[in-house]
Amino acid sequence: MFRSFPSVRADGHSKRWRLAACVLCAAALAAPPAGASGKDDHDRARQAVQAGQVLPLPTVLERLQREMPGQVLEVELEQERERWIYEIKLLTPAGQLTKVKLDARTAEVLRIKSRDDQRTGR
């Protein structure tokens, strides 16, 4: 059964965003990305967050929202050459599908790639 949520006024936007961030964080830590080796990747990601090597997802999403507003569609946490990367797919207010790669330790935007514009930024 699906429930619809009431409209959220501007003052409730922050609460809705935090709730979405918490849900996404739980999902990102609970299930490894496709092609991952399962439990080992999950444990490594959790340990990286606990050790401070990776910022918690809600923190990253809050910072990203200030720089690049949009609806978060998907989040992946991956390790690329000893560096943790958050890959976040957003739907911008203009309706553009955008993939953002961030350094998971600093939340620095590394690359922005949109579906309409295949050029990369930053």
Side-chain angles (χ1 to χ4, degrees), residues 44 48 53-54 78-85 103-105:
R44 285 184 27 220
Q53 297 170 335
V54 173
E78 303 171 336
Q79 195 169 19
E80 295 179 2
R81 296 186 206 110
E82 303 301 319
R83 183 182 201 181
W84 287 98
I85 305 290
D103 182 303
R105 187 177 53 82

Side-chain angles (χ1 to χ4, degrees), residues 13-30:
H13 179 73
S14 178
K15 288 180 184 177
R16 183 175 61 174
W17 180 252
R18 277 188 235 133
L19 175 62
C22 289
V23 169
L24 287 170
C25 182
L29 292 175

Side-chain angles (χ1 to χ4, degrees), residues 61 68 106:
L61 293 176
M68 224 180 146
T106 64

Side-chain angles (χ1 to χ4, degrees), residues 89-104:
K89 291 183 185 173
L90 293 172
L91 183 61
T92 67
Q96 188 174 39
L97 183 61
T98 303
K99 185 187 295 184
V100 183
K101 285 194 172 191
L102 300 134
D103 182 303

Side-chain angles (χ1 to χ4, degrees), residues 17 21 24-25 28 55-65 68-78 85-92 96-104 107-114:
W17 180 252
L24 287 170
C25 182
L55 289 171
L57 184 59
T59 302
V60 171
L61 293 176
E62 285 177 22
R63 291 180 187 179
L64 180 62
Q65 179 68 18
M68 224 180 146
Q71 180 182 358
V72 175
L73 302 175
E74 184 180 339
V75 177
E76 292 181 18
L77 177 61
E78 303 171 336
I85 305 290
Y86 276 114
E87 183 175 293
I88 301 171
K89 291 183 185 173
L90 293 172
L91 183 61
T92 67
Q96 188 174 39
L97 183 61
T98 303
K99 185 187 295 184
V100 183
K101 285 194 172 191
L102 300 134
D103 182 303
E108 174 190 357
V109 175
L110 302 173
R111 184 171 63 186
I112 300 171
K113 189 177 187 180
S114 67

